Amino acid sequence: MQVAIKYCLSCLLIFSIHLAKAQSIDKTKLIEHIAYLSSDELEGRKTQSQGNLAAREYILNEFKSLDLATQYPDYIQKFSFEGRRDNKVYDQAANIIAYIPGSSSKKLIVITAHYDHVGIGRADSAGDSIYNGADDNASGTAALLELARYFKAHRPEHGIMFAALDGEEMGLQGAKALVKDFPYALDQIVLNINMDMISRNENGELYASGTYYYPTFKTILEEVASGNKPILKFGHDEPNTGRDNWTNSSDHGAFFKENVPHIYFGVEDHKDYHKPSDSFENIDQEFFVNATNLILKCTIVLDQELLKE
């Protein structure tokens, strides 16, 4: 499905001026979030573990401190599923969901990031068995919290749902649960922005995957990203390219299945992917802050441009 959006360079020039004046995310808070969420204390945040529950409480408190709205009791959407590998029933999984109403449109942008990781596993050569998941995906969760803070202070045109999702590492379970039990008709969603692994890349590259299906987004994002760091690249979304195709590799896949347009911001796999060494010490703080600010700029412009659909 291709999204038709009226687009003009003069409009983007206006938005560029707006963005130049726009408040960026809170760098200090962003780093505090990722440091805590990827700490040994949370033991890798596997679904239904004590560390996962601690992460849930942290996110919940952040949403409450911002006095955000929600469509779910106490911000929590509970769900259950059966693990594909262990056949265990996970009946206390939970998404944490907040909402900011739009100023001009009743339609929605849904911003997602999964807060779970794989927990404790086989120890590495250094004897470390905690898979901290700093990049995967404490980074996206931290960014989600700071985007929520920004849009609380700068009301968007569309309503924005901020969904911290559980169970991604076990088959996109949180995203599937959200789509299945969404509080509105799914055709009210104009865009899903998903963030998963955005805190490091040796080449200074961040990908916006999904524009193969929604090419008008590429035109817009290229203009927004021009002259910014990190370098915004496109791809990893063409059919029949095997593992190089990220279309169903993270939570946006559940939205794509329901024909909801998406942009997935992420980096290519690195040597610490799904290893204990994916720790806070190995993120690139400058890259992470710049990537989050770039995603913020992209979101601001997409929010404006989607009004013209």
Side-chain angles (χ1 to χ4, degrees), residues 232-251:
L232 190 64
K233 301 196 71 173
F234 302 90
H236 290 299
D237 51 11
E238 294 188 20
N240 304 314
T241 55
R243 293 177 63 86
D244 195 52
N245 181 3
W246 296 351
T247 304
N248 293 296
S249 67
S250 184
D251 290 314

Side-chain angles (χ1 to χ4, degrees), residues 148-218:
R149 185 185 308 279
Y150 177 88
F151 283 108
K152 176 65 177 180
H154 304 82
R155 190 174 178 183
E157 302 291 345
H158 294 81
I160 299 184
M161 177 181 285
F162 300 89
L165 301 176
D166 200 0
E168 190 271 352
E169 298 288 1
M170 305 181 79
L172 317 186
Q173 299 296 337
K176 291 175 181 177
L178 178 58
V179 168
K180 182 178 180 180
D181 184 32
F182 201 74
Y184 307 107
L186 291 177
D187 62 9
Q188 291 295 101
I189 308 173
V190 295
L191 177 63
N192 166 228
I193 295 175
N194 186 39
M195 300 177 292
D196 191 351
M197 297 175 59
I198 60 169
S199 66
R200 55 183 289 191
N201 179 266
E202 292 180 355
N203 299 318
E205 298 170 347
L206 178 72
Y207 272 86
S209 176
T211 61
Y212 174 88
Y213 297 96
Y214 316 108
T216 309
F217 289 156
K218 182 178 181 180

Side-chain angles (χ1 to χ4, degrees), residues 10 43 60 86 137 157 184 205 207 245 270 277 305:
S10 61
E43 297 184 330
L60 180 64
D86 57 10
N137 186 36
E157 302 291 345
Y184 307 107
E205 298 170 347
Y207 272 86
N245 181 3
H270 45 73
S277 50
E305 285 294 308

Side-chain angles (χ1 to χ4, degrees), residues 240-304:
N240 304 314
T241 55
R243 293 177 63 86
D244 195 52
N245 181 3
W246 296 351
T247 304
N248 293 296
S249 67
S250 184
D251 290 314
H252 56 281
F255 291 88
F256 176 76
K257 186 177 181 180
E258 299 297 332
N259 296 315
V260 175
H262 74 273
I263 295 294
Y264 165 35
F265 291 102
V267 299
E268 293 179 323
D269 289 353
H270 45 73
K271 63 183 178 64
D272 299 315
Y273 172 70
H274 275 203
K275 295 180 181 178
S277 50
D278 182 11
S279 58
F280 175 72
E281 292 74 17
N282 287 327
I283 71 163
D284 181 334
Q285 293 191 26
E286 181 179 5
F287 178 94
F288 181 36
V289 172
N290 288 340
T292 304
N293 276 321
L294 179 55
I295 293 169
L296 170 61
K297 291 177 182 179
C298 290
T299 303
I300 291 169
V301 173
L302 288 167
D303 177 40
Q304 296 280 344

Side-chain angles (χ1 to χ4, degrees), residues 6-20 208 211 214-234 263 265 293-302 305 308:
K6 296 178 183 177
Y7 169 79
C8 65
L9 289 175
S10 61
C11 291
L12 273 184
L13 178 59
I14 294 172
F15 295 142
S16 296
I17 294 171
H18 169 73
L19 289 175
T211 61
Y214 316 108
T216 309
F217 289 156
K218 182 178 181 180
T219 308
I220 296 169
L221 295 175
E222 283 178 330
E223 191 72 22
V224 177
S226 178
N228 284 276
K229 291 182 178 181
I231 300 166
L232 190 64
K233 301 196 71 173
F234 302 90
I263 295 294
F265 291 102
N293 276 321
L294 179 55
I295 293 169
L296 170 61
K297 291 177 182 179
C298 290
T299 303
I300 291 169
V301 173
L302 288 167
E305 285 294 308
K308 305 171 187 177

